[in-house]
Amino acid sequence: MPTWEAAVLEISHIDTFYGPIQALKDVSLTVNEGEIVSLLGGNACGKSTTMKAILGLVKPRNGHITFNGRRIDHRPPSVVVKAGISPVLEARRLFPYLTVLENLRMGAYTRRDKNGIRQDIERMYDLFPIVKDRRCQVASTLSGGEQQMVAMARALMARPKLLIMDEPSMGLSPLFVEKVFDIIEQVNQKEGVAILLVEQNANMALSIASRGYVLQTGEIVLKDTARNLLNNPLMQKAYLGVA
């Protein structure tokens, strides 16, 4: 197994609340440079809240979050994105009436280097051939799998150091799920981007991750290497469909 030099993201003992309801309890996790880490769990377990806390959409009441050694837990989302974190949101959330190319350009809205943006668009075309084929097509007319490719390409246009992907397999056919996870792995290897993969599909997520964390009712209940989690009896029974 490869080793990573340093942590790019550290979540340390955060508690978050929606009014009086506690959503996350003493949650800690780390993503290292160049690493894919899976955050797993069922519905309403706290995965999306963790993602929102990282992006500055939810403010932790306790604990802290650091990115590249700097605290981001009470910074606005615009600052977090500019610092180098790009989200690929659940259900893709493309601009439906813009073309694929216009969606890519929106991913680079914080940048002013026109030549670099043009070069990165061509790089996205190389990485996602279907995006090039559909570049003049309105985003709402794409299939779910095609929209996922565009959402990933749009996020990469910001040149992030960390990509956070929220349920990338949701609503996709089994064939496209495999394709999307292959591309996630390629993005990690070719672009060197660290990835936090927020997923319910534990089998697929752990097949490409180095490590994983399992959330249950807002608490981390398991954490280990991906291989060990795949072989963990509790994990197999609860999340991997093994009797």
Side-chain angles (χ1 to χ4, degrees):
M1 180 179 293
T3 57
W4 294 272
E5 293 181 359
V8 64
L9 175 73
E10 290 186 282
I11 300 177
S12 300
H13 305 289
I14 65 168
D15 299 319
T16 65
F17 291 78
Y18 294 112
I21 306 300
Q22 187 164 7
L24 297 178
K25 305 170 188 176
D26 195 33
V27 168
S28 297
L29 66 83
T30 301
V31 181
N32 295 313
E33 292 178 356
E35 188 180 27
I36 300 177
V37 172
S38 295
L39 180 61
L40 308 166
N43 287 326
C45 69
K47 300 191 307 297
S48 292
T49 300
T50 303
M51 181 176 177
K52 290 176 182 177
I54 296 167
L55 294 171
L57 298 168
V58 173
K59 309 300 182 187
R61 187 174 296 181
N62 300 304
H64 62 272
I65 302 172
T66 60
F67 179 66
N68 281 340
R70 295 186 177 183
R71 285 189 65 167
I72 59 170
D73 44 278
H74 284 82
R75 307 304 299 273
S78 59
V79 172
V80 174
V81 171
K82 286 180 180 179
I85 299 178
S86 284
V88 180
L89 301 173
E90 182 182 337
R92 277 70 76 181
R93 306 289 180 89
L94 299 179
F95 297 99
Y97 303 114
L98 299 183
T99 66
V100 167
L101 176 56
E102 288 167 338
N103 268 276
L104 293 191
R105 288 174 175 156
M106 288 301 295
Y109 79 99
T110 61
R111 297 171 54 184
R112 298 293 179 264
D113 54 325
K114 292 183 179 180
N115 288 335
I117 291 170
R118 281 194 292 268
Q119 291 169 6
D120 283 349
I121 288 172
E122 292 301 321
R123 192 163 54 88
M124 292 305 106
Y125 288 164
D126 290 340
L127 192 59
F128 304 94
I130 194 68
V131 172
K132 183 176 183 179
D133 293 343
R134 301 286 191 269
R135 62 189 181 277
C136 296
Q137 196 166 325
V138 174
S140 60
T141 64
L142 303 179
S143 71
E146 291 168 345
Q147 289 187 22
Q148 187 66 60
M149 307 289 182
V150 176
M152 291 166 65
R154 181 180 64 181
L156 289 170
M157 285 297 298
R159 292 186 176 176
K161 299 178 183 69
L162 174 67
L163 197 63
I164 304 179
M165 304 197 66
D166 192 7
E167 304 284 5
S169 70
M170 181 175 287
L172 302 185
S173 69
L175 180 62
F176 254 118
V177 168
E178 288 192 22
K179 198 170 185 178
V180 164
F181 275 83
D182 284 344
I183 291 177
I184 292 171
E185 199 168 20
Q186 287 180 42
V187 165
N188 171 253
Q189 292 173 357
K190 292 183 178 180
E191 303 291 316
V193 179
I195 297 174
L196 178 61
L197 188 56
V198 181
E199 253 297 341
Q200 287 193 62
N201 189 332
N203 268 312
M204 289 300 299
L206 292 173
S207 73
I208 65 170
S210 59
R211 295 184 298 111
Y213 296 82
V214 180
L215 267 173
Q216 197 172 80
T217 59
E219 297 181 82
I220 301 289
V221 294
L222 285 172
K223 58 179 180 178
D224 211 328
T225 65
R227 178 179 295 179
N228 286 346
L229 286 174
L230 284 167
N231 293 321
N232 184 301
L234 293 175
M235 188 75 185
Q236 290 177 342
K237 184 176 181 180
Y239 297 102
L240 301 176
V242 177

